[in-house]
Amino acid sequence: MAQKQLTAPDIQARKGGEKIAVLTAYDYPTALLADEAGADVILVGDSLGMVCLGLPDTLGVTMADMLHHTKAVCRAVKKALVVADMPFLSYQTSVSEAVANAGRFLQEAGARAVKLEGGAEFAPTVQAILAAGIPVMGHIGLTPQQVARFGGFKAQGKTARAAKQLASDAHALAEAGCFALVLEAVPAEVAAHITAEIGIPTIGIGAGPECDGQVLVFHDVLGLCPGLRPSFVKQYVDLWTPAKNALAAYCAEVRAGAFPTAAHTRRMDPQELAAFNALPDWEA
Ligand code: KIV
């Protein structure tokens, strides 16, 4: 019997139980891999700006980008809950615009939840989106859409006061109805405190082992991103080097005339070929 696709209430019910494995995915093949590997939640993160589109941060990612990629992900996923990230300025300008944009991810793309970044100030937005029937995942700590204000991709919640602010944001978002909360780049003690305090699952990234689940970026797990990797990322395999070597071998074989061989070539039926050669050439 086909396994039922996980829902936001299923994920919320995992609070304090089996840990929740979350992976990002951005297109059909990455989503198929993440789903078949057993991810509980597949997040179409706006990290796609940096991972797939070559942008320096997530600020340039648009609703059109996110819808395009979320559609491809949803075509692949059979088991995981698909959560679409709301991009910069798609929910900050007004509550009604936030609801309309969140709805597009379900109606046009097939996602079954959205994620938005921000603290207690977004509680009314979360409530309004939820009232429209759209489950919301919160995201606090290092919220990349605030990179200009933070002055870079900097860990958050390092001082007592900042940690208290994060805890109070977490409470506000849980009370507003978020079904789960991403904690990004915060000290493990702060994440553990929030995890113990709130009634919804916390999903950590650079937030230590006590969270209810973890999220990593697909390309980081597989070593498909060249360059610097944050220290909290575990790269499970290096696919970049063998992938580059395979592509270089293809280029070399094409240049040397070694590809394609007979095994990769389809020849015409000899009778058809003879008939073809006997036919007069077409003249203009
Ligand atoms: O955009 C993203 O990929 C994210 C995760 C890292 C949580 O927000």
Side-chain angles (χ1 to χ4, degrees):
M1 201 172 67
Q3 190 186 324
K4 171 182 155 298
Q5 194 158 358
L6 288 168
T7 64
D10 293 332
I11 298 302
Q12 185 165 353
R14 295 262 291 270
K15 173 74 188 175
E18 191 184 17
K19 298 260 188 186
I20 301 160
V22 184
L23 277 169
T24 68
Y26 309 101
D27 57 17
Y28 189 85
T30 58
L32 207 55
L33 276 168
D35 200 40
E36 289 191 3
D40 298 303
V41 177
I42 293 180
L43 170 68
V44 191
D46 62 354
S47 50
L48 89 86
M50 299 159 85
V51 176
C52 302
L53 305 181
L55 295 171
D57 51 43
T58 60
L59 301 181
V61 178
T62 63
M63 274 299 293
D65 295 330
M66 290 304 302
L67 285 168
H68 179 74
H69 286 262
T70 304
K71 283 178 194 173
V73 166
C74 290
R75 284 182 206 120
V77 175
K78 302 273 179 296
K79 296 178 278 189
L81 169 68
V82 178
V83 179
D85 229 351
M86 299 201 62
F88 185 53
L89 295 188
S90 69
Y91 59 95
Q92 292 94 337
T93 47
S94 76
V95 170
S96 62
E97 205 170 342
V99 175
N101 281 326
R104 294 187 68 192
F105 284 112
L106 276 71
Q107 191 170 54
E108 296 174 34
R112 284 295 170 263
V114 297
K115 175 168 85 57
L116 57 81
E117 299 178 6
E121 68 280 16
F122 286 99
T125 308
V126 169
Q127 281 168 336
I129 296 174
L130 193 56
I134 303 162
V136 184
M137 178 181 266
H139 182 164
I140 58 172
L142 169 51
T143 43
Q145 291 177 23
Q146 300 277 325
V147 66
R149 186 165 70 90
F150 291 154
F153 294 96
K154 295 183 177 160
Q156 300 295 309
K158 293 200 286 189
T159 65
R161 230 167 234 298
K164 275 281 172 219
Q165 182 59 52
L166 281 180
S168 103
D169 285 337
H171 275 290
L173 291 166
E175 269 160 38
C178 284
F179 72 92
L181 179 64
V182 170
L183 302 175
E184 178 165 355
V186 303
E189 295 81 358
V190 178
H193 174 83
I194 291 172
T195 301
E197 288 256 309
I198 64 172
I200 57 170
T202 56
I203 309 294
I205 175 162
E210 283 99 354
C211 296
D212 297 298
Q214 298 290 327
V215 54
L216 279 179
V217 166
F218 183 95
H219 293 63
D220 287 341
V221 174
L222 298 185
L224 283 169
C225 264
L228 268 187
R229 220 178 26 249
S231 62
F232 55 76
V233 165
K234 180 170 175 186
Q235 180 185 295
Y236 284 77
V237 63
D238 170 16
L239 292 185
W240 185 267
T241 310
K244 198 168 84 175
N245 289 343
L247 296 172
Y250 160 75
C251 294
E253 285 196 1
V254 168
R255 289 189 191 107
F259 173 84
T261 64
H264 312 107
T265 305
R266 280 205 289 179
R267 298 276 171 200
M268 204 171 183
D269 175 82
Q271 275 181 334
E272 288 299 331
L273 182 59
F276 169 74
N277 286 332
L279 284 173
D281 278 343
W282 178 81
E283 280 169 26

